[in-house]
Amino acid sequence: MGGTGTGGTRIAGPGKWRPTRRRASRAGRPPEGAVAAAGTLRPRRRRLGVRRDPHPRPRDRRGGSGGGDMAKYLAQIILVGAQVVGRAFMRALRQEFAASQAAADARGRAERPQSAAASRIIGISLQEAQQILNVSSLNPEEIQKNYDHLFKVNDKSVGGSFYLQSKVVRAKERLDEELRIQAKGDKEKGRKAET
C-alpha cells in the first residue's frame, strides 16, 4: 500500500500505523498518544525465519479452538449421568415391586384364600373395612346400623363428602362379602359333620 503523505504507511485498516524504528528501550520512545513527526513511521517488516502454516486448522466460530472436544465431553458426562440415574430408578422400582408383592403375599396368607380374593376384587381389606365402619366383630346388625349412620352423615346434600360416602359403601360391600364367605364355610362344615 502506498503512503498517505504523512511519511508513514497505512497497514490493514484505518488508523493503524507502525513505527519503522527498532525499539531498543522504552526510554527512547515518544510518550503514549503523542503524534510522531512526518517520516518517522514505516510499515513493519515481516520477521525472517518464522513460517506460517500453509494449511491452518479452522478455528471455532467463537474464537477458541477445541470447542468441539468440550461439547463431546459434556455429552458423554450427560449420557453417563442419565445411565446412572436410570439404573438407580430401575433398582428402586424393582425393590418397590418386590416389597408390594411380599406385602400382598403376607396379607393373603393372613386371610383365607376366598377372603383374600374378595379383598383384591373389592379393593379393601377386611381390617380396613372394619375400621371404616367402626366394627370389631362381624355382627350384621351392628354393621347395618353403622353403615346407615355414616352414609347419612356423609351425604352430599347435607354437606358431606362423596368420597367418604363411597368408602363407606365399599366397606359395607366387603363386610357383606365376608359374611357370605363365612356362611358358606359354616354350611360346608355342617355337611361334613353330618357325613
Side-chain angles (χ1 to χ4, degrees):
M1 296 185 124
T4 60
T6 58
T9 304
R10 198 170 192 173
I11 300 175
K16 294 192 178 177
W17 296 88
R18 299 204 180 182
T20 57
R21 286 189 236 159
R22 293 190 182 194
R23 298 178 199 168
S25 69
R26 191 152 182 81
R29 281 194 230 158
E32 292 286 330
V35 178
T40 60
L41 295 175
R42 287 193 308 211
R44 187 184 225 177
R45 291 185 183 167
R46 202 168 151 192
R47 292 183 188 171
L48 297 176
V50 177
R51 288 186 161 175
R52 292 187 179 194
D53 189 6
H55 305 290
R57 216 167 109 177
R59 288 187 159 203
D60 192 13
R61 287 185 183 173
R62 292 181 298 266
S65 62
D69 293 339
M70 184 179 269
K72 185 171 79 172
Y73 293 138
L74 185 62
Q76 286 177 346
I77 289 170
I78 291 171
L79 184 65
V80 168
Q83 287 175 345
V84 168
V85 170
R87 285 184 194 133
F89 179 74
M90 289 303 294
R91 188 177 305 126
L93 196 61
R94 282 190 205 113
Q95 287 175 353
E96 183 63 31
F97 183 71
S100 67
Q101 287 291 343
D105 291 343
R107 187 174 54 232
R109 278 186 259 122
E111 297 177 354
R112 292 185 305 264
Q114 295 160 341
S115 182
S119 293
R120 279 193 297 271
I121 292 170
I122 296 175
I124 295 178
S125 69
L126 179 61
Q127 290 81 16
E128 186 179 359
Q130 286 176 327
Q131 287 176 349
I132 290 171
L133 290 179
N134 195 24
V135 293
S136 55
S137 63
L138 294 177
N139 182 359
E141 291 81 25
E142 185 182 1
I143 292 171
Q144 188 62 41
K145 181 181 135 201
N146 288 353
Y147 168 74
D148 291 337
H149 171 70
L150 290 172
F151 190 82
K152 287 177 187 173
V153 168
N154 290 307
D155 191 13
K156 200 169 185 179
S157 63
V158 294
S161 168
F162 180 72
Y163 172 74
L164 292 177
Q165 195 178 36
S166 67
K167 282 296 230 181
V168 168
V169 170
R170 294 288 172 234
K172 171 87 164 65
E173 288 176 355
R174 177 65 183 94
L175 292 177
D176 287 343
E177 183 67 22
E178 190 65 28
L179 288 171
R180 188 187 63 75
I181 290 170
Q182 280 185 355
K184 187 177 177 184
D186 290 343
K187 280 184 184 178
E188 289 178 7
K189 284 182 184 177
R191 287 183 194 159
K192 287 182 182 178
E194 289 176 2
T195 55

